[in-house]
Amino acid sequence: MQIVSIEDFTRQSFDFLVIGGGTAGLVVASRLAQDGRFTVGVIEAGGPVNGREDVDIPGYFGKSLGSEIDWKFRSAPLAEVGGKTLMCPRGKALGGSSAINFMTWCRASREDYDAWEVLGNPGWGWDDLLPYFKKSETFHPPSPAVQAEEDIRYDPDSFGYSGPIHISYTTHIPPRHRLWSNTLNSLGVKTNSAHAAGSIAGVWTNINNIDPRTMTRSFATNYCALAGSDLHIMTQATVQDIVLDKTSDGYVASGVRFIHGNQEYVVSASREVILSAGTIKSPQILELSGVGNPEILSRAGIAVKVESPMVGENLQEHKAIHAIVEHDPGLENSDDLFLDADFAAAAREQFARDKTGSLAHVFGHYAFVPLARYIPQDTLDKLCSRVQALTEFSAEKKAILEERLRCTDKRGQIEYIFKLGAGRLAESGRKLATLYQILQYSFSVGSVHIQPAPSQREDPVIDPGFYQGPTGELDLEVMLESTRFAREILLAPHMSSIVKQLVHPPASFYGDDEAMRKWIVDHTGMAMHAVGTCALGGHAGVRGGVVDERLKVLGVESLRVVDASIMPLQIGAHIQATVYAIAEKAADMILQDAARQQ
């Protein structure tokens, strides 16, 4: 990893400049530098974090949230919940959010990516992206003994075996895993034996980006080893804006203005500037550069260079709530790592000795369940009628959203995760477990925009749009129906053998729809899966998005966006693996375009 001084960075001549050394940024930069023909610069606000225990050790997942390597964004105050703000963690480090996330590695269903093509974005369907999923990963199969003992099922042909990111099933799957699978099976949710092969629906054992050779997090900094001396990384540097030069036809990106050590610098790129600052920062940087909605820019005192009304719009985020239950005190609990000093010391010693035990794994009890599997047909029909009545969406988008509701077997409207532990809600002397319920396909959308003048260079205004208007009302009804199913999971015969009491919400709430609606609204959070704020425009062009199918910013030459913000529709999966695939595909496209220009 070639981190350079400010003097060396500003003296260098760059072909490409990448804004953001996060998940997507390091992939693109490393692949371009690996080509051997180009000099690539990366500008990152954070610094290196390899070697930190809260990054490397799997069992410490979540510990770095709120630390100095987290941007610590919060949403704008939400009127629906009395002005409360929501946490919106994002990695501020080399590796970005891949350094602080929970190491979940999964792909959405084929239909989710094919929907991007339906909206008018050729080359972005499942068949186009699958090679890039594989290119990013090295899959380590479980041992035959673990596979047989724990009934782990997967399709070996779905994975890659030579990529920079090492992925694996945990080597330590506790007995409760079978309990989770048996519970979901008893409720009609089948075990998915090929959960990475184009259909995520069902219950399955999760894969994590953990290198089983070292039992440590495998993340985006691994890519830097590909790059050699043509990659130059500037850390602790905050980008102010993109330098846009006026031409006879419009504007062309020629460089980047940034702050390092309280001093402003400008560096140039002879070929392209690549914006990879993520769903929250990328639209902010575009707006600060004069690309965006004229009304937003005017309020911030920014001169309009390129009118692009969808910059910062179309924010889509998975809505997450969690029920807390009390469980059998005889079971090991992840909270013991933080509440029981003796247990924590023993776990730390065991991990140091042989890389096993509680610190060597993360939770892996997942289920993606189609809504149509557990709600009455007349309720489903009413929900679909309300979708068709929405005026916010095009006919093709409404057709996609309705199909997602009616789907019975290919993708899950709701994700359920079970974990023995309650994290921030843990209580000393009490064994608590968490059932997470995460809405995958939200109807409501939000926005991310710069602050009004004179504070436009502060954190952007993040409005998740939760439960607002007709689309938000639809989300609330889906969450209500899904909460009923969550109760069925907790009270099913297998699960009830360890669940002793419903704690949060209490059992009495489940019979009162109004009380449950209020509880859902009051306790919904953001799932760290925000997408869409610089989306592929598709058929609608600049009125529907920000970039074209080559990820070029509409209306600006030599500028692309490469990160989660380009997704036009949210996917039904954790987004990490998809971001890697997007970046791998983007790198190929950029190299192809460069070859045509020579």
Side-chain angles (χ1 to χ4, degrees):
M1 190 185 308
Q2 188 166 328
I3 298 174
V4 300
S5 69
I6 186 64
E7 292 79 16
D8 288 343
F9 194 80
T10 52
R11 280 198 298 263
Q12 185 66 54
S13 297
F14 295 108
D15 296 295
F16 296 96
L17 278 172
V18 179
I19 300 173
T23 312
L26 288 185
V27 175
V28 171
S30 298
R31 289 299 189 191
L32 294 179
Q34 181 188 25
D35 182 80
R37 292 176 293 162
F38 306 113
T39 303
V40 183
V42 174
I43 304 172
E44 166 56 40
V49 293
N50 294 72
R52 285 178 56 131
E53 289 192 347
D54 59 351
V55 171
D56 286 350
I57 297 178
Y60 287 149
F61 67 90
K63 195 174 180 181
S64 60
L65 301 187
S67 74
E68 75 280 4
I69 65 171
D70 176 5
W71 279 97
K72 292 177 276 195
F73 294 128
R74 297 197 73 92
S75 74
L78 304 180
E80 294 77 18
V81 288
K84 182 177 72 173
T85 64
L86 303 179
M87 290 176 58
C88 185
R90 287 297 181 278
K92 187 179 183 180
L94 280 177
S97 293
S98 74
I100 71 168
N101 65 19
F102 293 2
M103 290 164 276
T104 300
W105 192 268
C106 60
R107 304 169 188 162
S109 296
R110 168 187 290 271
E111 289 76 12
D112 283 1
Y113 304 109
D114 288 349
W116 297 358
E117 279 203 310
V118 169
L119 293 177
N121 301 292
W124 287 97
W126 168 267
D127 290 335
D128 302 292
L129 280 168
L130 184 58
Y132 296 108
F133 279 112
K134 292 182 176 182
K135 187 176 182 180
S136 71
E137 63 192 19
T138 290
F139 174 57
H140 297 265
S143 69
V146 170
Q147 185 175 354
E149 181 181 351
E150 303 299 342
D151 191 28
I152 295 175
R153 309 181 200 178
Y154 63 90
D155 174 12
D157 294 332
S158 299
F159 298 107
Y161 294 86
S162 59
I165 305 302
H166 294 265
I167 63 173
S168 61
Y169 289 97
T170 181
T171 56
H172 171 71
I173 302 179
R176 62 183 181 272
H177 167 71
R178 283 292 186 91
L179 183 104
W180 174 250
S181 298
N182 291 340
T183 297
L184 272 296
N185 291 164
S186 73
L187 295 172
V189 180
K190 298 179 181 179
T191 299
N192 187 335
S193 59
H195 55 88
S199 175
I200 201 172
V203 58
W204 33 269
T205 305
N206 189 48
I207 296 172
N208 304 105
N209 49 299
I210 296 173
D211 188 335
R213 301 169 302 177
T214 60
M215 294 312 297
T216 57
R217 178 193 298 267
S218 182
F219 65 114
T221 55
N222 287 19
Y223 272 83
C224 297
L226 304 174
S229 61
D230 288 329
L231 178 63
H232 305 262
I233 300 174
M234 183 73 251
T235 60
Q236 309 298 334
T238 304
V239 169
Q240 300 297 287
D241 55 34
I242 300 163
V243 178
L244 300 181
D245 296 334
K246 188 76 173 71
T247 68
S248 58
D249 297 323
Y251 284 88
V252 59
S254 64
V256 178
R257 184 177 289 104
F258 66 92
I259 299 291
H260 177 81
N262 296 318
Q263 186 171 340
E264 183 176 281
Y265 299 88
V266 176
V267 287
S268 299
S270 62
R271 287 182 173 270
E272 291 187 17
V273 174
I274 300 161
L275 180 54
S276 295
T279 297
I280 305 302
K281 293 291 290 183
S282 283
Q284 180 191 30
I285 291 171
L286 282 178
E287 289 179 337
L288 290 172
S289 307
V291 181
N293 184 326
E295 292 184 15
I296 300 293
L297 301 185
S298 176
R299 288 200 295 268
I302 303 290
V304 179
K305 294 180 179 177
V306 177
E307 183 174 343
S308 187
M310 291 303 293
V311 170
E313 298 295 328
N314 194 45
L315 173 65
Q316 298 164 71
E317 171 64 287
H318 290 152
K319 295 177 173 67
I321 59 174
H322 52 271
I324 303 295
V325 300
E326 189 168 5
H327 71 78
D328 184 338
L331 295 174
E332 180 184 309
N333 186 298
S334 62
D335 295 334
D336 295 337
L337 287 169
F338 308 100
L339 296 177
D340 185 329
D342 291 338
F343 179 89
R348 187 69 188 84
E349 181 180 345
Q350 182 179 355
F351 185 81
R353 183 178 62 249
D354 55 21
K355 300 297 186 288
T356 62
S358 300
L359 290 176
H361 63 90
V362 299
F363 55 86
H365 304 7
Y366 287 69
F368 284 77
V369 186
L371 184 72
R373 282 284 182 184
Y374 55 80
I375 71 169
Q377 184 63 46
D378 62 336
T379 302
L380 182 61
D381 290 340
K382 289 176 183 176
L383 288 174
C384 291
S385 295
R386 291 169 66 178
V387 172
Q388 292 305 319
L390 294 173
T391 59
E392 296 94 328
F393 304 139
S394 66
E396 58 189 359
K397 184 172 180 179
K398 285 192 285 191
I400 292 168
L401 295 174
E402 180 175 347
E403 190 277 331
R404 288 175 168 182
L405 283 177
R406 292 193 182 278
C407 177
T408 60
D409 59 355
K410 294 180 180 179
R411 46 187 170 184
Q413 188 82 19
I414 298 289
E415 175 189 12
Y416 296 98
I417 309 172
F418 187 69
K419 180 185 78 166
L420 292 184
R424 287 177 167 81
L425 297 178
E427 300 177 20
S428 182
R430 195 180 192 191
K431 291 296 184 76
L432 299 177
T434 307
L435 179 63
Y436 294 93
Q437 173 185 317
I438 307 172
L439 177 61
Q440 300 298 290
Y441 305 125
S442 295
F443 292 96
S444 58
V445 297
S447 63
V448 177
H449 291 298
I450 53 176
Q451 298 272 2
S455 56
Q456 70 265 30
R457 298 192 190 280
E458 297 178 0
D459 288 348
V461 178
I462 304 168
D463 177 6
F466 283 7
Y467 304 127
Q468 297 174 11
T471 53
E473 292 169 3
L474 266 169
D475 287 340
L476 184 54
E477 291 309 301
V478 173
M479 287 292 265
L480 177 63
E481 296 293 339
S482 303
T483 303
R484 293 192 179 106
F485 189 69
R487 178 178 179 272
E488 288 189 45
I489 293 174
L490 294 170
L491 298 182
H494 296 283
M495 189 65 71
S496 64
S497 66
I498 66 165
V499 173
K500 302 305 179 186
Q501 181 182 356
L502 305 182
V503 176
H504 175 73
S508 60
F509 270 48
Y510 288 95
D512 184 336
D513 283 359
E514 285 310 305
M516 280 308 303
R517 286 190 181 94
K518 185 177 187 312
W519 182 84
I520 291 167
V521 171
D522 287 348
H523 293 92
T524 296
M526 302 173 75
M528 294 178 65
H529 300 157
V531 306
T533 53
C534 299
L536 291 156
H539 297 310
V542 75
R543 299 297 165 186
V546 178
V547 299
D548 66 13
E549 69 272 14
R550 305 292 288 182
L551 304 187
K552 296 179 178 180
V553 174
L554 297 162
V556 185
E557 292 295 320
S558 302
L559 178 61
R560 301 191 207 225
V561 180
V562 180
D563 55 38
S565 71
I566 67 95
M567 299 187 202
L569 277 177
Q570 180 62 280
I571 59 172
H574 296 237
I575 67 172
Q576 175 182 204
T578 299
V579 174
Y580 280 104
I582 288 170
E584 286 278 17
K585 178 176 171 64
D588 260 10
M589 291 192 299
I590 295 168
L591 290 171
Q592 291 164 9
D593 290 349
R596 281 194 287 267
Q597 293 168 5
Q598 289 184 332

